[in-house]
Amino acid sequence: MRRFNRNISRKNTGCVKWDMIEGDKSKIIPFSIADSDYPTAKEIEKCLKKRVKHPIYGYSYPDDEYFDAIINWTKKRYNYTIDKDNIIPTNGVVTSLYYAIKHFGDNTDSVIIQPPVYNPFYSVILDNDKKVVKNRLLKENNYYTMNYVELEEQLKAGSKMILLCNPQNPTGRVFTYQELEKVVDLAIKYDAFILSDEIHCDIMLDSNEFVSVNEFADRHSKIAVFTSISKSFGLAGLKTSNVIIKNKKLAEEFREFLRHKYISFGNVFGLTGVKSAYNHAEEWLDKQNIHLTRNFKYLKEFFETNYPKVGVTKTEGTFLAWLDLGYLGMSCVKMQEELKKMGIIINEGRRYDEDCRGYIRFNFACSQKQLKLGLNALGEFLDQYKD
Ligand SMILES: Cc1ncc(COP(=O)(O)O)c(C=O)c1O
């Protein structure tokens, strides 16, 4: 597990998380943007280095080895089978979501999302000139569930598209088979399209098991799933993702649609990244999940022991903690400013839902040492408001 506890400086590497910080960043530790701060798997590093050694980096394409890597991974890890025709390589999940709404959303002027949720979900809908319909998740005992009654009303009112996030960013929920089945049943009843962003699907804490909505594709053809190596293997900079559509006719139509949008299908290092990650880095991934499980346990106990008023949402998947600091009665902006003074950067809750102004999102994909520094800084901030 030593690889996950290595502290390698990412400063001055053109890193969004560490370098794109306003003001004096010399003593700042970011716990913000969802990528990890430890090195990727050795096996991936080796494959990329091997490719770098060949000094011609021309146009490249996803060959059979690329598709086989995804087919085998999907069967082994996600419990459903696909073939090459079901896979559409793309260069980013958000880009793919934007175009999927454009292509499959012809018959709807709105899209349902489940806040609090990853903020670009709002913009990909609005930029398609469609309305955002909020089917807010319900919260009880720091645990989020879906509101099916409201979802049905919204579908009945005419929304024909649901944009799911599973595992859910920022709440860390991993939806169960039964939960997803209810959504699929409603989508069938109201003929709605399901887009499921499953970018975090490889990152499972404890014994949680991931269920893809594609497991229901034999019952409902209008399903598109979005995956990537970026979060799972710390390869976000390679900008490589895949859309998986079980219905071959819909897959072919979407592939053709993207061709006319001039969306390229990968870059030389992204293609190598996919093959090496899925073919050689499974053991690393499982170890990462153990490391992240430990980090989350530490974080949860830290707040339970020292700051029990902080609501720690139960993260089941992802490396994101969703913390309710609402008891402080402080605005998001102030909280973020104060935390920056303490030396850390987090993401403010209102990005994910305007109702979540007392929340912060805290990324714990880092070494134990860095995690402790971050939690201690958070603790110092909270100490100022202890009664
Ligand atoms: C749920 C979710 N979808 C998509 C993305 C970004 O994907 P990409 O960089 O492939 O556009 C993220 C990154 O944080 C995410 O959390």
Side-chain angles (χ1 to χ4, degrees):
M1 303 300 270
R2 263 182 308 165
R3 204 161 169 88
F4 303 103
N5 281 313
R6 277 180 67 187
N7 293 288
I8 301 177
S9 172
R10 299 181 69 185
K11 285 182 185 169
N12 304 314
T13 62
C15 171
V16 173
K17 193 174 177 186
W18 287 80
D19 291 329
M20 266 178 77
I21 296 172
E22 276 174 36
D24 178 13
K25 54 193 173 206
S26 56
K27 293 199 174 69
I28 297 279
I29 307 178
F31 293 88
S32 42
I33 299 172
D35 69 11
S36 38
D37 282 333
Y38 36 73
T40 189
K42 262 220 158 61
E43 296 76 8
I44 297 175
E45 201 184 323
K46 220 164 96 187
C47 291
L48 287 171
K49 278 182 175 161
K50 186 172 164 209
R51 185 60 191 84
V52 166
K53 268 198 174 155
H54 185 293
I56 304 175
Y57 312 116
Y59 292 123
S60 308
Y61 77 104
D63 55 11
D64 282 346
E65 192 193 340
Y66 177 92
F67 288 108
D68 286 344
I70 299 165
I71 291 164
N72 294 336
W73 185 260
T74 304
K75 190 163 183 206
K76 189 150 46 147
R77 304 283 299 200
Y78 314 148
N79 198 31
Y80 65 93
T81 52
I82 47 171
D83 61 41
K84 189 176 166 175
D85 297 340
N86 303 116
I87 306 167
I88 304 154
T90 52
N91 50 14
V93 166
V94 174
T95 308
S96 312
L97 290 174
Y98 170 78
Y99 281 110
I101 293 171
K102 194 168 283 307
H103 178 64
F104 294 118
D106 255 0
N107 62 345
T108 186
D109 61 6
S110 63
V111 179
I112 301 171
I113 57 169
Q114 299 180 312
V117 75
Y118 180 54
N119 45 319
F121 273 32
Y122 294 87
S123 54
V124 288
I125 297 170
L126 297 172
D127 287 339
N128 268 301
D129 296 322
K130 299 194 190 294
K131 278 198 304 266
V132 171
V133 175
K134 293 180 192 168
N135 173 226
R136 283 196 168 89
L137 295 175
L138 303 170
K139 185 183 167 194
E140 207 183 329
N141 294 328
N142 294 317
Y143 193 69
Y144 285 84
T145 53
M146 290 193 204
N147 183 343
Y148 303 103
V149 175
E150 187 188 58
L151 179 59
E152 175 148 22
E153 281 164 11
Q154 292 163 337
L155 290 166
K156 207 185 273 180
S159 273
K160 293 247 172 263
M161 185 172 266
I162 307 167
L163 175 47
L164 288 181
C165 190
N166 180 36
Q168 221 267 352
N169 170 5
T171 68
R173 265 310 311 280
V174 175
F175 295 114
T176 63
Y177 186 92
Q178 288 74 17
E179 286 177 299
L180 292 172
E181 189 170 37
K182 284 187 199 164
V183 176
V184 172
D185 285 345
L186 287 172
I188 294 171
K189 188 167 168 189
Y190 294 97
D191 192 30
F193 209 105
I194 300 177
L195 305 178
S196 184
D197 178 342
E198 302 183 355
I199 196 169
H200 294 275
C201 67
D202 300 304
I203 303 166
M204 292 289 111
L205 306 192
D206 290 313
S207 55
N208 289 293
E209 278 181 24
F210 176 69
V211 179
S212 169
V213 78
N214 257 344
E215 286 197 38
F216 300 93
D218 52 347
R219 279 160 54 181
H220 188 44
S221 60
K222 293 185 172 180
I223 292 177
V225 159
F226 302 78
T227 65
S228 173
I229 48 170
S230 61
K231 309 289 158 189
S232 319
F233 299 96
L235 297 173
L238 299 186
K239 292 301 283 178
T240 301
S241 51
N242 291 288
V243 184
I244 304 179
I245 303 178
K246 285 275 285 174
N247 182 290
K248 288 194 178 168
K249 187 168 165 286
L250 294 181
E252 184 47 33
E253 283 169 12
F254 190 48
R255 188 178 295 108
E256 197 53 18
F257 174 81
L258 289 181
R259 204 163 66 80
H260 291 286
K261 298 293 174 215
Y262 306 95
I263 302 295
S264 71
F265 44 55
N267 63 78
V268 59
F269 297 113
L271 296 167
T272 306
V274 167
K275 292 181 209 174
S276 58
Y278 291 154
N279 286 340
H280 305 299
E282 188 171 19
E283 202 179 311
W284 178 91
L285 178 74
D286 290 336
K287 284 187 182 154
Q288 177 185 228
N289 284 344
I290 295 170
H291 175 77
L292 293 173
T293 300
R294 282 183 193 156
N295 272 7
F296 181 67
K297 186 168 178 280
Y298 184 87
L299 176 149
K300 193 163 180 292
E301 285 171 6
F302 174 86
F303 289 110
E304 279 168 0
T305 311
N306 305 300
Y307 306 97
K309 285 186 187 163
V310 174
V312 181
T313 306
K314 185 172 182 272
T315 298
E316 296 172 325
T318 79
F319 43 63
L320 306 166
W322 182 236
L323 306 172
D324 181 359
L325 309 185
Y327 75 94
L328 297 174
M330 193 182 283
S331 78
C332 271
V333 178
K334 174 121 173 83
M335 201 142 62
Q336 205 171 27
E337 276 171 14
E338 293 297 313
L339 285 169
K340 201 168 168 192
K341 281 186 206 156
M342 294 293 166
I344 64 167
I345 294 185
I346 47 74
N347 289 122
E348 45 178 352
R350 69 169 175 183
R351 277 171 158 241
Y352 310 96
D353 184 1
E354 70 212 2
D355 276 8
C356 292
R357 288 169 190 271
Y359 287 73
I360 61 170
R361 195 190 74 169
F362 184 97
N363 172 353
F364 56 86
C366 58
S367 68
Q368 277 248 319
K369 183 177 166 204
Q370 188 172 307
L371 175 67
K372 285 178 188 172
L373 288 172
L375 292 178
N376 289 341
L378 246 168
E380 271 179 51
F381 160 72
L382 294 172
D383 283 341
Q384 296 173 31
Y385 305 95
K386 248 185 174 167
D387 40 38

